[in-house]
Amino acid sequence: MSQSNSEYVNPLRDPQDRRLPRIAGPCGLVLFGVTGDLSRKKIMPAIYDLANRGLLPPGFSLVGFARRDWADQDFAQVVHDSVKAYARTEFREEVWKQLAEGFRFVPGNFDDDVAFDQLRRTIQELDEVRGTDGNHAFYLAIPPGFFGTVVDQLKEHGLADGGADSWRRVVVEKPFGHDLESARELNGILAGVFESGSIFRIDHYLGKETVQNILAMRFANTMFEPIWNSNYVDHVQITMAEDGGIGGRAGYYDGIGAARDVIQNHLLQLMSLVAMEEPTSFDAESLRIEKQKVLSSVVLPRRLDLTTARAQYAEGWAGGEKVAGFLEEEGIAKSSTTETYAAVTLNIATRRWAGVPFYLRTGKRLGRRVTEVAVVFKKAPHQPFSASSTEDLTQNALVIRIQPDEGVTLRFGSKVPGTAMEIRDVNMDFAYGGSFTESSPEAYERLILDVLLGDPPLFPRHEEVELSWKILDPILEHWAKQDAAGKGKPDEYESGTWGPPSADAMLARDGRVWRRP
Ligand code: BG6
């Protein structure tokens, strides 16, 4: 070790050491919406995984609230089934037993005063017998139409304020409104009861390791930042493709569509991380300032008819099986104009990004499930090779593979071995699996732990949410106007392909092509 003894800081004694596990203090979580898919597939398993990793306090409690005639044991059985089916880490009986001792269930409607009184008594009982010390987070995994009722009830029944020595927090899931106006309304409702530091908005993409790594990659290294600008970057493509259809979510998805479901939140957050300036630190405030600067610098092209694309999946193939088109899905009206694919062109009016389009696309029932950010570089200003030598050479690209094959690929030209000078694209690869032995935690594990720790950097603030709607609203209005005038409707793409021809045409007009991930 090169450090002298006096300089050496024992990491076990250094409270700032990031390698030490961050363990939540005494607390509990109240879950509204326990019967929903999100609770079953993501939230409950994540809570177990956190317990299994030793990151929850020993007396942690989980209270389920729903309109079901359940006793505590019934609720425990539901959590048990979900953990068995979806948890990331192995099932350990002793961990489960200790966790399940803190489970309680409160039956009732959201507007039922008796039920909220019972919730208050339940929490008091847990504070006494489990030592949760008055610290509770209320997780609203419910449709946003009920947020107002629930937060009002929490306030009315004295649940929203923990007093001087304990905390109360609220966790909300998207959609945070369906346009700027409704987002403001929603923010107003939450802000009327909880102070801004106690409101945690989940954008689960920010909880993904590979998304957090964008900042590490950009700002912990020297070699990327000098070329991360309009002098070198030609354009950026952000893709979130899914091979699945809407599944059983017709009720949620119809009328929402791909742009509201994914671009407004996940993809604009990704874009902010890729485009932002270096923050002064990684605390929530500094990050938010930089992300907000990006979002407020976005300008839309003038011709939205030429620079956006939307479409619905038609029947086709997925995973070797014939699948139905969107309009044939159960619960979707034949006349629905909801898009299942959306692509948009955004410009960022800053010195760094002037003239560099950011193309964002997302869709259901595409060729494969993949999310990636591709920074595509300009061609070398001069090629001292014959044109035929570089025929197969495309543009250099840095591809951040968010999922499922997590890693980073650098694409550049290389000489093909042989007597001729022939240059072709090659890839240099970093794969998480090859470099790290530990597997990445699920996004929800990280985010739920951060809520319990009161650590806000990975949660978008309401200003970011509103700025994102400001970007999207004109595009949504443009599409709605087309529908109303009968001038246009979403295009179609065959399930299992890479989207509609209109999206290809959108890039072709700029002399570019989409990557085929
Ligand atoms: C959600 C969307 O936010 O993200 C879903 O509402 C989508 O429509 C999901 O399927 C995808 O998440 P992930 O983590 O599987 O990419």
Side-chain angles (χ1 to χ4, degrees):
M1 185 179 306
S2 60
Q3 284 167 309
S4 72
N5 273 344
S6 61
E7 284 175 305
Y8 176 64
V9 182
N10 180 348
L12 291 174
R13 288 175 186 278
D14 178 3
Q16 298 293 322
D17 193 304
R18 305 304 260 170
R19 292 166 295 182
L20 286 179
R22 298 149 69 241
I23 300 173
C27 64
L29 188 85
V30 179
L31 184 56
F32 293 91
V34 289
T35 53
D37 251 21
L38 183 70
S39 294
R40 231 165 28 87
K41 292 188 178 160
K42 297 287 181 190
I43 302 172
M44 292 168 180
I47 288 171
Y48 170 80
D49 287 325
L50 286 172
N52 206 5
R53 290 164 64 206
L55 302 179
L56 294 183
F60 178 80
S61 71
L62 176 68
V63 182
F65 186 110
R67 200 178 47 187
R68 286 286 191 285
D69 192 14
W70 286 348
D72 292 346
Q73 302 88 291
D74 303 313
F75 173 55
Q77 188 59 45
V78 170
V79 185
H80 182 268
D81 294 348
S82 120
V83 168
K84 280 279 181 147
Y86 299 106
R88 179 178 67 89
T89 60
E90 66 170 329
F91 190 83
R92 290 194 291 154
E93 200 58 47
E94 67 277 17
V95 173
W96 169 255
K97 264 181 104 176
Q98 186 181 3
L99 186 66
E101 277 168 21
F103 291 174
R104 302 287 185 277
F105 185 74
V106 177
N109 286 333
F110 297 145
D111 57 2
D112 179 351
D113 288 325
V114 177
F116 276 81
D117 276 338
Q118 190 185 335
L119 179 59
R120 197 188 48 243
R121 286 196 301 276
T122 305
I123 282 177
Q124 280 165 351
E125 181 247 336
L126 287 166
D127 288 342
E128 278 162 30
V129 302
R130 303 278 296 173
T132 38
D133 275 5
N135 301 319
H136 298 272
F138 301 99
Y139 198 134
L140 311 190
I142 53 176
F146 295 112
F147 286 1
T149 312
V150 174
V151 297
D152 280 350
Q153 289 280 49
L154 293 174
K155 187 178 171 185
E156 290 302 304
H157 293 268
L159 287 155
D161 185 4
D165 300 323
S166 54
W167 53 256
R168 297 291 156 97
R169 296 178 186 139
V170 67
V171 186
V172 289
E173 282 280 348
K174 70 178 190 58
F176 310 123
H178 56 269
D179 58 12
L180 178 59
E181 202 185 318
S182 53
R184 282 191 174 139
E185 229 169 78
L186 196 60
N187 281 329
I189 290 173
L190 295 171
V193 176
F194 289 92
E195 57 181 58
S196 72
S198 304
I199 304 172
F200 290 75
R201 292 174 191 79
I202 300 248
D203 182 319
H204 78 281
Y205 263 62
L206 296 180
K208 292 184 193 269
E209 278 293 333
T210 40
V211 173
Q212 291 160 43
N213 192 38
I214 294 174
L215 296 186
M217 215 182 87
R218 289 190 55 199
F219 301 125
N221 300 301
T222 47
M223 62 189 189
F224 301 117
E225 269 321 279
I227 54 168
W228 211 258
N229 57 54
S230 62
N231 294 333
Y232 297 95
V233 176
D234 177 68
H235 70 281
V236 177
Q237 296 187 13
I238 303 183
T239 300
M240 177 184 157
E242 296 183 276
D243 51 1
I246 56 158
R249 295 167 81 215
Y252 159 79
Y253 202 83
D254 199 16
I256 297 264
R260 286 187 174 97
D261 184 37
V262 165
I263 296 184
Q264 190 273 340
N265 36 76
H266 308 326
L267 297 196
L268 285 177
Q269 284 289 329
L270 277 178
M271 188 190 80
S272 306
L273 297 176
V274 171
M276 74 189 216
E277 299 301 318
E278 184 173 288
T280 48
S281 84
F282 286 98
D283 66 27
E285 189 58 24
S286 314
L287 279 173
R288 183 184 64 126
I289 289 170
E290 298 307 334
K291 283 198 284 177
Q292 258 178 249
K293 271 178 12 200
V294 173
L295 294 169
S296 39
S297 309
V298 168
V299 228
L300 296 180
R302 274 193 315 143
R303 293 284 306 268
L304 294 178
D305 52 336
L306 303 178
T307 53
T308 66
R310 60 175 174 146
Q312 297 173 329
Y313 58 81
E315 64 172 21
W317 295 88
E321 278 181 21
K322 191 104 182 121
V323 291
F326 177 65
L327 296 179
E328 283 79 54
E329 297 274 20
E330 208 182 312
I332 300 293
K334 289 274 178 286
S335 57
S336 171
T337 55
T338 300
E339 81 285 353
T340 62
Y341 178 101
V344 300
T345 310
L346 304 178
N347 298 310
I348 301 176
T350 60
R351 173 176 288 242
R352 189 194 275 262
W353 296 117
V356 180
F358 280 70
Y359 301 112
L360 277 48
R361 64 172 164 166
T362 182
K364 302 242 179 233
R365 284 271 187 255
L366 295 180
R368 173 161 106 74
R369 176 174 178 261
V370 58
T371 300
E372 61 163 46
V373 174
V375 180
V376 182
F377 293 92
K378 292 184 173 167
K379 289 208 158 134
H382 171 68
Q383 287 285 5
F385 308 99
S386 67
S388 63
S389 309
T390 54
E391 244 167 26
D392 291 333
L393 182 64
T394 63
Q395 284 161 275
N396 296 165
L398 180 82
V399 183
I400 304 171
R401 305 194 311 270
I402 306 290
Q403 64 184 28
D405 171 26
E406 290 100 348
V408 179
T409 300
L410 194 58
R411 182 181 72 194
F412 55 96
S414 187
K415 181 181 172 304
V416 179
T419 50
M421 177 54 86
E422 186 193 344
I423 302 168
R424 215 189 275 162
D425 290 331
V426 293
N427 285 335
M428 208 156 83
D429 231 24
F430 147 59
Y432 274 68
S435 300
F436 301 116
T437 47
E438 53 278 67
S439 68
S440 299
E442 266 282 317
Y444 275 90
E445 289 171 52
R446 171 67 196 259
L447 296 176
I448 292 171
L449 181 62
D450 281 3
V451 168
L452 302 178
L453 288 162
D455 212 6
L458 299 182
F459 299 87
R461 294 274 177 89
H462 81 93
E463 291 91 339
E464 292 166 65
V465 172
E466 290 181 11
L467 284 168
S468 301
W469 281 119
K470 267 193 190 162
I471 296 168
L472 213 59
D473 272 2
I475 297 174
L476 296 169
E477 276 161 25
H478 165 74
W479 290 343
K481 262 192 213 149
Q482 282 190 327
D483 290 342
K487 274 199 206 148
K489 58 179 183 55
D491 299 329
E492 270 192 358
Y493 58 101
E494 191 184 327
S495 288
T497 64
W498 279 98
S502 53
D504 293 334
M506 173 183 130
L507 253 67
R509 276 183 212 105
D510 292 351
R512 300 185 175 107
V513 289
W514 289 111
R515 284 172 45 80
R516 290 280 176 262

